[in-house]
Amino acid sequence: MEIPSYKIALIVGVGEGLSASLARLFAREGIKVALAARKIEKLGALCTETGARAFACNATEAEEVERLFGMVEREIGTPDIVVYNASARARGAFTDLVPAEVANAIAVSAFGGFLVAQQAAIRMLPNKHGAILFTGASASVKGYPQSAPFAMGKFALRGLAQSMAREFAPQGIHVAHFVIDGGIRSAARAEPADRPDSMLDPDAIALSYWNVLQQPRSAWSWEVELRPWVERF
């Protein structure tokens, strides 16, 4: 039973939560890490901690995404793990939504995922090896009121992941989508004292990503749902 081995990870849409936890976990496992975000000024401490390299990229622009992969290849190597964490929202009553803001939310949440995944797949196919992971949300499977743009983007991202999994699994590339069904704990957002563990710990989420990456190819998951033990389904 062969366990996959990975060497280089690229995380797109990096912030201080889940992406940071993934970067730390990958670094501990001896994997070189590249971080991509629109603004990389706040990633200095994480880069110092993990030895990662940071690259500025607007994931909704095809030329920037292609350039990102080229820079990562030249400076670190070809990534065999690619994680897409970027997303955007446009909140409000449906009749008040601004079309341009809706278009941007869908572009960041879904179209950027397509652009990143396409560049990743192009590079993984020759070796028939690699993993492409997408971060979803509760909105991936249920649309909430006054949050149509987020649901539209996350539904589309889930469809992308499912389609890719069916196409690329037989070619040795593991594609998986994670439904993060609940709030993620952070320094600025902690659960109430009377409801311990009612939010997802980003380190725990990262561990689930790692567990999926360690699956032998005879038993791959294409989707995993994660929620706190007290979260309603």
Side-chain angles (χ1 to χ4, degrees):
M1 188 169 60
E2 185 177 352
I3 302 298
S5 177
Y6 299 99
K7 296 180 180 179
I8 299 171
L10 168 61
I11 306 171
V12 179
V14 177
E16 299 177 350
L18 172 57
S19 295
S21 291
L22 285 169
R24 295 185 186 101
L25 186 152
F26 290 153
R28 287 196 301 271
E29 295 295 335
I31 295 171
K32 295 179 180 179
V33 180
L35 308 174
R38 289 191 185 214
K39 298 180 180 180
I40 61 174
E41 292 80 6
K42 295 183 179 181
L43 301 181
L46 182 60
C47 288
T48 299
E49 179 184 355
T50 62
R53 296 286 302 276
F55 301 85
C57 178
N58 179 348
T60 67
E61 297 292 338
E63 291 183 358
E64 288 199 31
V65 173
E66 186 173 2
R67 184 165 58 250
L68 166 67
F69 275 81
M71 289 190 297
V72 172
E73 284 182 307
R74 289 191 298 272
E75 299 186 25
I76 302 176
T78 303
D80 50 8
I81 300 173
V82 173
V83 183
Y84 191 74
N85 275 348
S87 63
R89 300 172 185 257
R91 292 184 181 275
F94 186 79
T95 54
D96 295 333
L97 291 170
V98 178
E101 294 176 357
V102 174
N104 178 69
I106 296 171
V108 174
S109 294
F111 183 59
F114 158 75
L115 292 176
V116 169
Q118 186 179 56
Q119 292 297 321
I122 288 170
R123 290 159 172 81
M124 294 175 182
L125 279 171
N127 297 321
K128 296 186 179 298
H129 166 72
I132 302 172
L133 309 181
F134 298 97
T135 299
S138 304
S140 301
V141 293
K142 41 188 176 180
Y144 292 92
Q146 300 198 349
S147 189
F150 192 53
M152 292 161 71
K154 286 301 185 181
F155 264 69
L157 188 73
R158 184 172 186 255
L160 169 67
Q162 187 177 86
S163 179
M164 287 186 63
R166 288 182 166 137
E167 180 174 352
F168 292 111
Q171 301 182 72
I173 300 172
H174 191 174
V175 179
H177 175 259
F178 295 81
V179 178
I180 310 303
D181 189 15
I184 299 177
R185 182 190 305 154
S186 68
R189 188 184 183 195
E191 61 264 279
D194 60 346
R195 298 187 69 214
D197 290 331
S198 59
M199 300 183 76
L200 292 109
D201 185 308
D203 290 342
I205 301 173
L207 183 59
S208 289
Y209 280 52
W210 181 249
N211 289 339
V212 168
L213 288 169
Q214 296 303 294
Q215 291 176 340
R217 64 182 182 182
S218 65
W220 273 355
S221 299
W222 89 266
E223 183 169 75
V224 175
E225 289 185 289
L226 300 172
R227 62 179 60 85
W229 65 296
V230 294
E231 183 78 14
R232 293 181 179 179
F233 282 57

mmCIF file of all heavy atoms in Angstrom, residues 185 190-200 228-231:
data_model
loop_
_atom_site.group_PDB
_atom_site.id
_atom_site.type_symbol
_atom_site.label_atom_id
_atom_site.label_comp_id
_atom_site.label_asym_id
_atom_site.label_seq_id
_atom_site.Cartn_x
_atom_site.Cartn_y
_atom_site.Cartn_z
ATOM 1 N N ARG A 185 -11.911 29.325 14.024
ATOM 2 C CA ARG A 185 -11.373 30.055 15.169
ATOM 3 C C ARG A 185 -10.148 30.864 14.752
ATOM 4 O O ARG A 185 -9.344 30.430 13.932
ATOM 5 C CB ARG A 185 -10.994 29.061 16.265
ATOM 6 C CG ARG A 185 -10.451 29.673 17.543
ATOM 7 C CD ARG A 185 -9.886 28.603 18.453
ATOM 8 N NE ARG A 185 -10.868 27.561 18.739
ATOM 9 C CZ ARG A 185 -10.549 26.319 19.061
ATOM 10 N NH1 ARG A 185 -9.275 25.953 19.111
ATOM 11 N NH2 ARG A 185 -11.487 25.434 19.329
ATOM 12 N N ALA A 190 -13.056 34.091 18.605
ATOM 13 C CA ALA A 190 -13.031 32.919 19.472
ATOM 14 C C ALA A 190 -14.444 32.512 19.859
ATOM 15 O O ALA A 190 -15.362 33.341 19.887
ATOM 16 C CB ALA A 190 -12.221 33.202 20.728
ATOM 17 N N GLU A 191 -14.624 31.230 20.168
ATOM 18 C CA GLU A 191 -15.941 30.765 20.553
ATOM 19 C C GLU A 191 -16.273 31.208 21.979
ATOM 20 O O GLU A 191 -15.379 31.471 22.776
ATOM 21 C CB GLU A 191 -16.044 29.243 20.446
ATOM 22 C CG GLU A 191 -15.092 28.480 21.335
ATOM 23 C CD GLU A 191 -13.849 28.086 20.593
ATOM 24 O OE1 GLU A 191 -13.861 27.096 19.861
ATOM 25 O OE2 GLU A 191 -12.833 28.772 20.757
ATOM 26 N N PRO A 192 -17.563 31.283 22.337
ATOM 27 C CA PRO A 192 -17.959 31.653 23.706
ATOM 28 C C PRO A 192 -17.429 30.656 24.727
ATOM 29 O O PRO A 192 -17.250 29.466 24.426
ATOM 30 C CB PRO A 192 -19.491 31.610 23.649
ATOM 31 C CG PRO A 192 -19.835 31.735 22.195
ATOM 32 C CD PRO A 192 -18.720 31.062 21.461
ATOM 33 N N ALA A 193 -17.180 31.139 25.916
ATOM 34 C CA ALA A 193 -16.623 30.286 26.966
ATOM 35 C C ALA A 193 -17.544 29.118 27.303
ATOM 36 O O ALA A 193 -17.075 28.045 27.707
ATOM 37 C CB ALA A 193 -16.354 31.119 28.215
ATOM 38 N N ASP A 194 -18.860 29.316 27.128
ATOM 39 C CA ASP A 194 -19.797 28.243 27.468
ATOM 40 C C ASP A 194 -20.019 27.273 26.297
ATOM 41 O O ASP A 194 -20.833 26.358 26.401
ATOM 42 C CB ASP A 194 -21.133 28.828 27.933
ATOM 43 C CG ASP A 194 -21.801 29.694 26.864
ATOM 44 O OD1 ASP A 194 -21.111 30.057 25.886
ATOM 45 O OD2 ASP A 194 -23.000 29.993 27.016
ATOM 46 N N ARG A 195 -19.311 27.484 25.181
ATOM 47 C CA ARG A 195 -19.433 26.580 24.028
ATOM 48 C C ARG A 195 -18.045 26.213 23.508
ATOM 49 O O ARG A 195 -17.651 26.571 22.397
ATOM 50 C CB ARG A 195 -20.265 27.214 22.916
ATOM 51 C CG ARG A 195 -21.701 27.531 23.310
ATOM 52 C CD ARG A 195 -22.491 27.986 22.084
ATOM 53 N NE ARG A 195 -22.697 26.875 21.155
ATOM 54 C CZ ARG A 195 -22.726 27.014 19.826
ATOM 55 N NH1 ARG A 195 -22.526 28.194 19.270
ATOM 56 N NH2 ARG A 195 -22.945 25.972 19.053
ATOM 57 N N PRO A 196 -17.266 25.473 24.299
ATOM 58 C CA PRO A 196 -15.910 25.114 23.867
ATOM 59 C C PRO A 196 -15.939 24.252 22.609
ATOM 60 O O PRO A 196 -16.837 23.436 22.419
ATOM 61 C CB PRO A 196 -15.361 24.334 25.068
ATOM 62 C CG PRO A 196 -16.575 23.824 25.775
ATOM 63 C CD PRO A 196 -17.620 24.885 25.601
ATOM 64 N N ASP A 197 -14.943 24.461 21.745
ATOM 65 C CA ASP A 197 -14.814 23.701 20.495
ATOM 66 C C ASP A 197 -16.031 23.843 19.597
ATOM 67 O O ASP A 197 -16.362 22.938 18.828
ATOM 68 C CB ASP A 197 -14.559 22.213 20.782
ATOM 69 C CG ASP A 197 -13.184 21.978 21.368
ATOM 70 O OD1 ASP A 197 -12.270 22.763 21.055
ATOM 71 O OD2 ASP A 197 -13.025 21.016 22.128
ATOM 72 N N SER A 198 -16.708 24.980 19.672
ATOM 73 C CA SER A 198 -17.853 25.197 18.788
ATOM 74 C C SER A 198 -17.435 25.855 17.471
ATOM 75 O O SER A 198 -18.278 26.131 16.622
ATOM 76 C CB SER A 198 -18.911 26.055 19.487
ATOM 77 O OG SER A 198 -18.392 27.311 19.876
ATOM 78 N N MET A 199 -16.133 26.114 17.324
ATOM 79 C CA MET A 199 -15.590 26.599 16.074
ATOM 80 C C MET A 199 -14.479 25.663 15.619
ATOM 81 O O MET A 199 -13.897 24.932 16.427
ATOM 82 C CB MET A 199 -15.044 28.027 16.224
ATOM 83 C CG MET A 199 -16.082 29.034 16.664
ATOM 84 S SD MET A 199 -15.436 30.723 16.741
ATOM 85 C CE MET A 199 -15.404 31.120 14.996
ATOM 86 N N LEU A 200 -14.204 25.670 14.340
ATOM 87 C CA LEU A 200 -13.145 24.807 13.815
ATOM 88 C C LEU A 200 -11.775 25.403 14.109
ATOM 89 O O LEU A 200 -11.545 26.594 13.896
ATOM 90 C CB LEU A 200 -13.295 24.637 12.303
ATOM 91 C CG LEU A 200 -14.508 23.847 11.811
ATOM 92 C CD1 LEU A 200 -15.521 24.752 11.144
ATOM 93 C CD2 LEU A 200 -14.071 22.759 10.850
ATOM 94 N N PRO A 228 -17.540 21.504 13.538
ATOM 95 C CA PRO A 228 -17.421 21.263 14.972
ATOM 96 C C PRO A 228 -18.476 20.257 15.432
ATOM 97 O O PRO A 228 -19.549 20.128 14.809
ATOM 98 C CB PRO A 228 -17.661 22.646 15.597
ATOM 99 C CG PRO A 228 -17.411 23.618 14.498
ATOM 100 C CD PRO A 228 -17.832 22.913 13.235
ATOM 101 N N TRP A 229 -18.207 19.581 16.512
ATOM 102 C CA TRP A 229 -19.083 18.515 16.983
ATOM 103 C C TRP A 229 -20.470 19.010 17.369
ATOM 104 O O TRP A 229 -21.434 18.252 17.364
ATOM 105 C CB TRP A 229 -18.447 17.797 18.170
ATOM 106 C CG TRP A 229 -18.270 18.650 19.388
ATOM 107 C CD1 TRP A 229 -17.475 19.763 19.518
ATOM 108 C CD2 TRP A 229 -18.874 18.447 20.660
ATOM 109 N NE1 TRP A 229 -17.558 20.274 20.767
ATOM 110 C CE2 TRP A 229 -18.410 19.481 21.517
ATOM 111 C CE3 TRP A 229 -19.760 17.510 21.185
ATOM 112 C CZ2 TRP A 229 -18.797 19.598 22.847
ATOM 113 C CZ3 TRP A 229 -20.138 17.626 22.513
ATOM 114 C CH2 TRP A 229 -19.676 18.663 23.325
ATOM 115 N N VAL A 230 -20.589 20.324 17.656
ATOM 116 C CA VAL A 230 -21.905 20.873 18.040
ATOM 117 C C VAL A 230 -22.590 21.601 16.882
ATOM 118 O O VAL A 230 -23.687 22.128 17.050
ATOM 119 C CB VAL A 230 -21.764 21.840 19.234
ATOM 120 C CG1 VAL A 230 -21.306 21.089 20.477
ATOM 121 C CG2 VAL A 230 -20.799 22.979 18.907
ATOM 122 N N GLU A 231 -21.959 21.650 15.727
ATOM 123 C CA GLU A 231 -22.540 22.368 14.584
ATOM 124 C C GLU A 231 -23.734 21.607 14.035
ATOM 125 O O GLU A 231 -23.717 20.389 13.884
ATOM 126 C CB GLU A 231 -21.482 22.530 13.474
ATOM 127 C CG GLU A 231 -21.946 23.313 12.273
ATOM 128 C CD GLU A 231 -21.964 24.814 12.500
ATOM 129 O OE1 GLU A 231 -21.366 25.273 13.504
ATOM 130 O OE2 GLU A 231 -22.539 25.519 11.672
#
